[in-house]
Amino acid sequence: MDPVSVSLAIVAVGLLIIIHESGHYFAAKWSGMNVSRFSIGFGPIIAKVTRNETTFTICAIPFGGFVQIDGMNPEDGTDPDAPTSYLRRPFHQRFATILAGPAANYLLGFTLWFGLLVAFNYEPLPPIEVTAVSADSPAETAGLQKGDLLTGVAGKPFETVEDFLKAIDDSGGAAIAFDVRRESETKVVTVTPQKVGEGWRVGVGFAPTEKKAAPLSVGDALAKSWSRTVEWTKSPFKMIAGMIDGVFGIDDVSGPIGIVKTMGGAFERSWIDALSFAAAISIALGIFNLLPIPALDGSRLLFLLVGLIRRRPVDSRVEAWVHGGGFVLLAALIVVVSVFDVLR
């Protein structure tokens, strides 16, 4: 892959992290909390600068970032009675501060899609190139290969990319006879879709080979941006359902390396594709952080809600212990997923 595209992808993913952490940072500052550190990455510090009582750092391990708000960790040495401590601020300000990170990702994703649809939207056109074939998938079993061009079904050409997706959705699990162009040869490859949740899949990554300009009106762009946001919000739950059903495994999950690789491929196609993919990843990052998993924002919001219901906050040391353990497990998961990314 082009080194420039990879570099741009790394910068793009870093910017998504900065947007997320900036949501926390500005909400905390507006709520009167003191933020002692704003870090991009973890581990040894590569560069740092201090502004307005906050030390901004870039660290060696670029897998995420964090904002250190005084009082959030009971062991950070902050006076618990200090008015700028997280623990001293009212519930709504603490809740808003935690929610602001995912909210910033959602706002960015929606705004990017809206702008692209109004100014640079294009209609993808067939033939459809197979860009990846999942291991042990119906497509691999049938013999589809990366680089194949899908031109139609049973002799009927695709007029739009939606025709390809509709053929899979409407199959009901019945075999589909795809018309395939492989180099100079034309053949029929019969694929039997596999049920995933409430839908069907064949196990290919794909991209249109042609496109035409088709900017949308403001109203249509708003509607389509909202629709995409909703669909990407559902994506983690669909993946979890697929893993429960045994359709997906841990080796099907992409981590930071896989995301950068896919983003790099999008940059090689066009910067519009790259920005659209960045919007999708921003939404996915937002919903992932809202899951009630220890160390993530969703878990912190859950602790706040439990404290509100009990009418007294959960012991901050207990919460810190839970988040600490969750961070270790999350870091281990990232390492495992990254190993599979490298193997792929």
Side-chain angles (χ1 to χ4, degrees):
M1 184 176 290
D2 180 6
V4 174
S5 297
V6 174
S7 299
L8 289 172
I10 293 172
V11 171
V13 172
L15 287 174
L16 295 182
I17 296 170
I18 291 173
I19 291 294
H20 178 92
E21 299 304 334
S22 293
H24 293 310
Y25 173 80
F26 286 113
K29 297 294 285 186
W30 288 331
S31 298
M33 304 176 196
N34 187 59
V35 180
S36 56
R37 184 173 172 185
F38 185 123
S39 178
I40 302 303
F42 300 95
I45 296 174
I46 297 175
K48 67 177 182 179
V49 62
T50 300
R51 294 284 187 277
N52 299 323
E53 300 181 331
T54 302
T55 299
F56 297 87
T57 63
I58 299 176
C59 298
I61 305 174
F63 292 161
F66 64 92
V67 168
Q68 185 175 321
I69 302 172
D70 288 359
M72 183 173 284
N73 184 338
E75 306 299 331
D76 66 5
T78 300
D79 179 358
D81 294 323
T84 56
S85 169
Y86 171 82
L87 295 176
R88 293 288 295 171
R89 307 311 299 170
F91 170 85
H92 71 276
Q93 290 183 348
R94 285 178 287 152
F95 195 90
T97 296
I98 301 302
L99 185 61
N105 285 127
Y106 265 86
L107 181 61
L108 174 65
F110 183 89
T111 302
L112 278 175
W113 273 327
F114 175 73
L116 291 172
L117 290 169
V118 168
F120 305 104
N121 184 56
Y122 61 83
E123 181 182 347
L125 299 174
I128 297 161
E129 181 182 1
V130 175
T131 58
V133 179
S134 299
D136 301 320
S137 66
E140 184 184 60
T141 301
L144 279 178
Q145 299 177 11
K146 181 179 178 180
D148 283 348
L149 296 178
L150 308 179
T151 60
V153 171
K156 182 179 180 181
F158 292 135
E159 295 183 3
T160 66
V161 173
E162 283 69 24
D163 290 342
F164 164 65
L165 299 173
K166 190 173 186 299
I168 298 172
D169 290 338
D170 292 349
S171 69
I176 305 173
F178 285 113
D179 299 320
V180 178
R181 193 161 70 234
R182 182 178 297 165
E183 297 179 352
S184 59
E185 182 183 3
T186 300
K187 58 172 59 183
V188 174
V189 177
T190 302
V191 183
T192 302
Q194 185 177 36
K195 191 170 181 60
V196 180
E198 298 180 358
W200 300 91
R201 72 189 284 266
V202 296
V204 296
F206 63 93
T209 55
E210 298 182 22
K211 56 190 177 183
K212 67 177 181 180
L216 298 184
S217 67
V218 170
D220 287 343
L222 285 172
K224 191 164 186 176
S225 299
W226 175 254
S227 176
R228 287 184 178 180
T229 300
V230 171
E231 283 304 308
W232 274 90
T233 298
K234 295 177 182 177
S235 61
F237 305 102
K238 290 181 178 179
M239 176 62 76
I240 293 171
M243 295 178 76
I244 293 173
D245 291 341
V247 176
F248 301 123
I250 189 67
D251 56 331
D252 291 309
V253 180
S254 288
I257 295 174
I259 291 172
V260 167
K261 181 176 182 296
T262 305
M263 180 82 77
F267 269 112
E268 287 184 342
R269 293 192 299 272
S270 74
W271 64 271
I272 295 176
D273 284 350
L275 287 178
S276 184
F277 183 69
I281 294 302
S282 189
I283 298 297
L285 181 62
I287 187 59
F288 177 73
N289 270 278
L290 286 173
L291 296 177
I293 299 173
L296 297 183
D297 297 329
S299 179
R300 295 186 182 278
L301 293 173
L302 183 60
F303 272 106
L304 285 171
L305 290 172
V306 169
L308 180 68
I309 294 170
R310 296 170 67 228
R311 297 192 176 182
R312 70 176 187 278
V314 177
D315 187 289
S316 58
R317 286 177 174 78
V318 172
E319 182 177 350
W321 182 86
V322 170
H323 293 316
F327 177 79
V328 172
L329 293 175
L330 197 59
L333 177 62
I334 289 175
V335 170
V336 171
V337 170
S338 295
V339 169
F340 283 113
D341 281 339
V342 172
L343 293 177
R344 278 193 293 267

